[in-house]
């Protein structure tokens, strides 16, 4: 027969049980990753659920190879850069035409965005379309055409575009109407254009900090602008004097949560001690959601047993020492 626990050992066993349950509860709080590869992840983005703003939930993903990707209705695209000072991300579409293709136009599909998100195509993008049907697309030198038909200028594709004559990184020149530049108002315009054009590519004007008019140069890629929702709660959460938390949200209600090292708070991390004490009482009572029903029952049974034993324990000089109390 195994040895039975002594009177002094039983309270210690209960303490170990409670500590293990607290450890389980705390393990549910996972830190938000702050980078994917060499790209920093900051608010409003998050690659872990519950991190960042709920407006961008499930949009960014860090692949197994460590590359940041953005999800859109037309696919997943590698993110090459994220700017938070001038809020935008840069992506490339592997289906777009590139200089290596030359005049061998391969099948492609248009890039699209989910209009329900806070993303939008940047006005700094220009799209070059190749081998368009002039029966369906107005392919004309834009300055001349716009002078004659200003009301139809937005629907024209500029065959005299600077970019068609100076494509970034290309050693050859597109000639004639095989190339034209188009600035769509929405991604739907790209789909319509590709019905009548063989292929396309996207060029954005990259800021290089030089004096105007040389402060921008063309480069391949798609610039996507985004909004940064700024709230008082988020600013308080991030405030170093209030604990330097990370702005996040409740994954069930999508309400704001300040994510701290010790767990979650509804305001900022310096208030977490109060929230932690409340959560600790709930765990002991068996109502914390992170603890299994069996574990909660075990705690309740242990408390009942301990109280029953203490009721029978002798009292020295009519006073029970507070040093020995658990609750």
């Amino acid at each position: 027969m195994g040895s039975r626990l002594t009177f002094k050992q039983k309270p210690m066993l209960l303490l170990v049980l409670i500590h293990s349950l607290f450890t389980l509860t705390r393990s549910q709080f996972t830190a938000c990753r702050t980078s994917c590869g060499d790209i920093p992840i900051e608010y409003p983005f998050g690659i872990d659920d519950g991190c960042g703003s709920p407006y961008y939930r499930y949009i960014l993903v860090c692949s197994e190879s460590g590359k940041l990707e953005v999800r859109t209705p037309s696919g997943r695209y590698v993110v090459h850069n994220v700017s938070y000072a001038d809020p935008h991300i840069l992506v490339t579409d592997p289906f777009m035409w590139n200089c290596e293709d030359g005049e061998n136009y391969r099948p492609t599909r248009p890039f699209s965005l989910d209009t329900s998100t806070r993303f939008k195509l940047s006005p700094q993008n220009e799209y070059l379309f190749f081998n368009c049907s002039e029966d369906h697309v107005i392919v004309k030198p834009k300055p001349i055409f716009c002078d004659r038909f200003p009301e139809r200028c937005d629907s024209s594709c500029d065959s005299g575009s600077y970019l068609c004559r100076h494509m970034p990184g290309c050693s050859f020149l597109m000639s004639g109407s095989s190339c034209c530049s188009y600035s769509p108002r929405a991604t739907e315009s790209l789909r319509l254009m590709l019905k009548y054009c063989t292929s396309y590519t996207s060029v954005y004007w990259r800021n290089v900090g030089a004096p105007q008019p040389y402060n921008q140069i063309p480069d391949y890629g798609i610039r996507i602008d985004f909004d940064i929702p700024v709230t008082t709660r988020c600013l308080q959460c991030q405030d170093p004097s209030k604990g330097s938390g990370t702005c996040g949200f409740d994954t069930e209600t999508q309400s704001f949560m300040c994510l701290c090292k010790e767990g979650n708070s509804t305001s900022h991390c310096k208030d977490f001690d109060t929230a932690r004490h409340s959560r600790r009482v709930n765990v002991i009572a068996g109502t914390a959601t992170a603890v299994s029903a069996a574990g909660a029952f075990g705690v309740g049974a242990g408390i009942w047993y301990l109280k029953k034993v203490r009721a029978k324990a002798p009292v020295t000089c009519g006073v029970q020492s507070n040093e020995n109390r658990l609750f």
Side-chain angles (χ1 to χ4, degrees):
M1 293 180 62
S3 60
R4 299 181 64 181
L5 295 174
T6 66
F7 174 79
K8 291 184 178 180
Q9 288 174 323
K10 289 176 181 178
M12 294 302 298
L13 178 63
L14 184 59
L15 281 175
V16 172
L17 173 63
I18 294 173
H19 176 74
S20 65
L21 291 175
F22 281 134
T23 303
L24 173 64
T25 302
R26 284 193 177 186
S27 69
Q28 309 304 311
F29 301 107
T30 57
C32 297
R33 284 175 287 177
T34 57
S35 66
C36 178
D38 58 354
I39 297 180
I41 305 298
E42 302 175 10
Y43 184 82
F45 296 138
I47 52 178
D48 301 292
D49 198 15
C51 301
S53 168
Y55 292 119
Y56 297 102
R57 189 180 188 184
Y58 302 135
I59 291 181
L60 292 182
V61 60
C62 192
S63 69
E64 294 182 358
S65 59
K67 291 184 178 180
L68 186 65
E69 296 177 340
V70 60
R71 291 187 175 112
T72 81
S74 55
R76 283 168 57 158
Y77 302 88
V78 173
V79 177
H80 291 276
N81 185 42
V82 179
S83 172
Y84 297 95
D86 176 19
H88 71 272
I89 67 174
L90 294 175
V91 304
T92 55
D93 181 355
F95 295 97
M96 292 192 311
W97 175 92
N98 58 56
C99 287
E100 295 177 359
D101 294 333
E103 297 195 25
N104 298 316
Y105 303 112
R106 52 197 170 91
T108 187
R109 66 187 186 193
F111 176 84
S112 65
L113 284 176
D114 184 350
T115 56
S116 66
T117 67
R118 300 293 182 96
F119 280 139
K120 56 182 178 293
L121 288 175
S122 172
Q124 292 180 224
N125 294 326
E126 286 194 46
Y127 301 88
L128 303 182
F129 288 87
F130 306 105
N131 283 352
C132 297
S133 168
E134 296 195 32
D135 293 335
H136 299 89
V137 178
I138 301 173
V139 181
K140 299 288 183 182
K142 199 161 189 176
I144 298 174
F145 179 81
C146 292
D147 288 342
R148 295 183 59 190
F149 307 101
E151 72 282 358
R152 301 176 63 192
C153 186
D154 287 344
S155 62
S156 67
C157 194
D158 183 12
S159 61
S161 165
Y162 168 86
L163 290 175
C164 283
R165 292 178 285 112
H166 303 86
M167 282 185 290
C170 292
S171 59
F172 57 89
L173 177 68
M174 290 286 183
S175 60
S177 61
S178 62
C179 173
C180 61
S181 175
Y182 182 69
S183 299
R185 293 183 176 180
T187 53
E188 178 65 26
S189 302
L190 297 181
R191 289 191 287 271
L192 292 175
M193 287 288 287
L194 275 179
K195 284 185 177 182
Y196 310 113
C197 302
T198 305
S199 187
Y200 89 112
T201 193
S202 175
V203 176
Y204 74 99
W205 290 90
R206 178 163 57 90
N207 294 317
V208 293
Q212 292 185 354
Y214 308 105
N215 61 329
Q216 292 183 328
I217 61 173
D219 205 350
Y220 290 107
I222 302 173
R223 171 172 165 146
I224 304 172
D225 294 339
F226 64 88
D227 297 328
I228 301 180
V230 179
T231 65
T232 302
R233 282 186 172 184
C234 183
L235 293 176
Q236 289 180 341
C237 174
Q238 294 175 326
D239 188 346
S241 67
K242 296 182 181 296
S244 298
T246 301
C247 300
F249 59 93
D250 187 299
T251 55
E252 293 184 2
T253 64
Q254 298 199 41
S255 57
F256 175 81
M257 294 295 289
C258 185
L259 310 180
C260 312
K261 291 181 180 179
E262 298 86 353
N264 297 345
S265 171
T266 55
S267 55
H268 46 82
C269 296
K270 287 284 181 74
D271 279 350
F272 183 78
D273 288 339
T274 301
R276 178 174 54 185
H277 176 73
S278 174
R279 184 163 52 250
R280 180 174 297 172
V281 172
N282 288 339
V283 171
I284 294 175
T287 59
T289 57
V291 182
S292 67
F297 176 78
V299 173
I303 295 173
W304 173 84
Y305 174 79
L306 184 62
K307 287 183 176 180
K308 183 177 179 181
V309 171
R310 290 201 174 279
K312 297 180 180 180
V315 178
T316 305
C317 301
V319 178
Q320 188 169 352
S321 171
N322 286 328
E323 294 178 355
N324 296 325
R325 291 186 183 271
L326 290 179
F327 307 101

